[in-house]
Amino acid sequence: MTEDYAALVRDHPIPKQHVATFLSTNAPRGAGNCATSHDAAAHARRHRQQRRWATQVVITDELARQACAERDLPPPDDVLPMRLLTIPETDVADLGSIIAAALAHSPAARALLTDLEREQHVPETAVRDYYDRNQDRFLTPDALRRGVDPFNTVEPSDIHPYEHVREGIAQQLRRAAARRAFFDWLDRARADVEYAEGHEHPGDPSQPDHEHRH
């Protein structure tokens, strides 16, 4: 791997320029000028970690492109999109910022996730169990207006019938299972990625800017 590359993904080099372009377009806005040397050092450390973050997003896109090819899925757009779509805060909370950004950034990652969702089988017993354990989520509008407490005795008419909500529950469980499958795939896929210095995973404890706080 030459000094021009941020990482090597299954013998496919990721140019540092791809990471730099993505970072310049999508990095969070920082503070203005650094008033002290301490501020300057903190700013430099933050920038290095943002570069590592951007590297992970670009690498996830490349890994997903390769996975789509292996699955004979239609190829995504050839042009690397550099502008992120809006990322819902709930996705960042549920997925982590790297995967949430990758799914917003990468058509290939979204195509792979959709394909993984098609593969998921949710047993009927799991759907029914979710319905029975989460009655508070299926109160009718009238019950909500009356302030019905779902954790006390409720009338059957206060809860949407199972048949009316079953498909929505199954879809939600399939989506959750697909996200877990995506996490597992990504962990395996990036295990063999080779990183250039300064482009390691931002959470890698071996890199000098890693911080872990509780």
Side-chain angles (χ1 to χ4, degrees):
M1 183 161 50
T2 74
E3 61 182 13
D4 295 328
Y5 299 125
L8 199 60
V9 180
R10 295 182 182 176
D11 297 326
H12 180 86
I14 302 296
K16 288 182 179 179
Q17 186 57 47
H18 281 189
V19 175
T21 302
F22 180 83
L23 181 60
S24 67
T25 308
N26 299 294
R29 299 291 182 185
N33 294 330
C34 299
T36 68
S37 59
H38 175 76
D39 291 339
H43 177 78
R45 185 182 306 111
R46 183 167 60 250
H47 177 74
R48 291 193 297 269
Q49 286 292 72
Q50 288 176 350
R51 182 178 62 217
R52 294 181 175 101
W53 174 85
T55 300
Q56 287 298 312
V57 177
V58 174
I59 282 174
T60 301
D61 173 63
E62 175 57 32
L63 288 168
R65 287 170 179 268
Q66 294 182 12
C68 286
E70 292 167 0
R71 288 167 169 259
D72 293 324
L73 296 176
D77 296 337
D78 289 333
V79 178
L80 186 67
M82 287 299 175
R83 171 66 66 181
L84 282 176
L85 305 175
T86 301
I87 306 175
E89 290 184 9
T90 52
D91 280 358
V92 175
D94 293 342
L95 302 169
S97 66
I98 289 172
I99 294 181
L103 288 171
H105 155 73
S106 169
R110 294 193 296 274
L112 177 59
L113 181 61
T114 298
D115 201 49
L116 288 169
E117 186 172 334
R118 281 193 290 265
E119 294 177 355
Q120 306 308 309
H121 170 69
V122 179
E124 184 67 24
T125 53
V127 181
R128 183 73 208 202
D129 180 63
Y130 185 92
Y131 175 78
D132 291 339
R133 289 188 296 103
N134 296 277
Q135 296 280 284
D136 56 306
R137 300 189 177 189
F138 306 112
L139 290 173
T140 64
D142 180 64
L144 290 170
R145 280 194 299 271
R146 290 187 286 110
V148 169
D149 181 357
F151 301 104
N152 290 321
T153 303
V154 237
E155 296 297 327
S157 59
D158 289 332
I159 305 291
H160 286 292
Y162 176 69
E163 295 74 17
H164 293 183
V165 296
R166 181 204 168 280
E167 185 50 41
I169 296 172
Q171 183 178 17
Q172 181 180 342
L173 295 180
R174 278 195 301 272
R175 185 178 300 114
R179 286 182 168 189
R180 291 193 296 271
F182 188 92
F183 294 152
D184 291 343
W185 161 79
L186 185 56
D187 281 345
R188 293 191 304 270
R190 64 186 176 192
D192 297 327
V193 174
E194 298 179 34
Y195 297 99
E197 184 177 355
H199 289 268
E200 310 90 343
H201 192 287
D204 183 349
S206 68
Q207 53 97 348
D209 298 308
H210 172 72
E211 292 183 358
H212 186 77
R213 298 174 180 169
H214 291 282

